[in-house]
Amino acid sequence: MTIKDLLVHVDLSKTNQARMDYAFGLAEAHKAHVIGVGYSPSGINTLRDEARQALDDFASAGERRGLSVETRMIECEIGDLPDELALHVRYADLALIGQPEEKGGMAGPQRALLEELLFHSGRPVLIVPWAGTSKPAPKTVMVAWDASGTAARALADALPILRHADKVVVLVAIDDKPNSHGDEPGADIALHLARHDIDVDVRRIPLGSDVSAADLLLSQAADLGADMMVMGGYHHSRIREAVLGGVTRTIVDTMTVPVLMSH
């Protein structure tokens, strides 16, 4: 299981350069093909020219680093972009997008894009934060493990990255509710990863009533000096659509390291 191609959302935001650099570093580490996908609203020539220039800059930067790069342009109404981009993502191993803005005119469309890719593309999504400096070849990766199907999916999708890490920590939050962790929480998943030649440390952390699961994950990531977090992306239903659940939303809003999510 390897990463052979990854898709990057290329836009005109201030954070695009950091996302581009991260994608190229990841592609170098995994010898992967890189696909940059830009967007322009239908029929607006000025914005199309700006988006095309951003894609040309993307391709030139990748080629200077000796990478295999291609670019694609999506032209549609802004409301159709999530569906269109999700279609492209299905033909790649991994999607990279930027952390959605918390407020402003693009906050809603960016969150809609994340939700569509996470819940409907069928591929893992790597979210690159707008703050801080991210390492495209993470040395320490923290895996949030709750023995759920979404956590298992995220872990499987992250295996190529975990193999390149120096340290992998599986974090298991323990509370008083019935769970699927077994007699020794985290031991079974550690054994599974060992069969993939991945050495892991298991951390069992009590989840008290005064600490939310999201705050626990963020504080542990900081304590470990983690370069990446891996977790399942959860949702709750809202009349025919899936929206980010509480823990997932908090992580997305306050993340300081890249987060790989799957659903």
Side-chain angles (χ1 to χ4, degrees), residues 3-10 19-20 22-28 31-37 58-59 62-63 66-72 92 94 96:
I3 297 174
K4 291 299 185 182
D5 43 27
L6 55 93
L7 182 146
V8 190
H9 180 221
V10 178
R19 189 184 329 134
M20 183 171 70
Y22 191 91
F24 290 154
L26 193 63
E28 287 173 339
K31 297 179 174 57
H33 178 69
V34 190
I35 306 162
V37 180
F58 176 89
E63 289 165 359
L67 292 169
S68 171
V69 182
E70 70 173 286
T71 61
R72 303 173 188 171
L94 178 68
L96 271 78

Side-chain angles (χ1 to χ4, degrees), residues 27 90 113 117 119 134-135 219 221 238 247 253-254:
R90 292 184 188 117
L113 185 66
L117 297 187
F119 299 132
S134 303
K135 299 177 183 177
S219 66
R238 183 180 66 187
V247 174
D253 288 343
T254 57

Side-chain angles (χ1 to χ4, degrees), residues 53-66:
Q53 185 60 56
L55 286 173
D56 290 345
D57 293 344
F58 176 89
S60 297
E63 289 165 359
R64 284 196 299 271
R65 296 174 70 156

Side-chain angles (χ1 to χ4, degrees), residues 198-221:
I198 298 171
D199 245 350
V200 304
D201 293 330
V202 176
R203 278 199 176 192
R204 303 176 183 91
I205 307 296
L207 181 59
S209 58
D210 58 335
V211 179
S212 71
D215 287 340
L216 176 64
L217 291 175
L218 292 166
S219 66
Q220 288 295 313

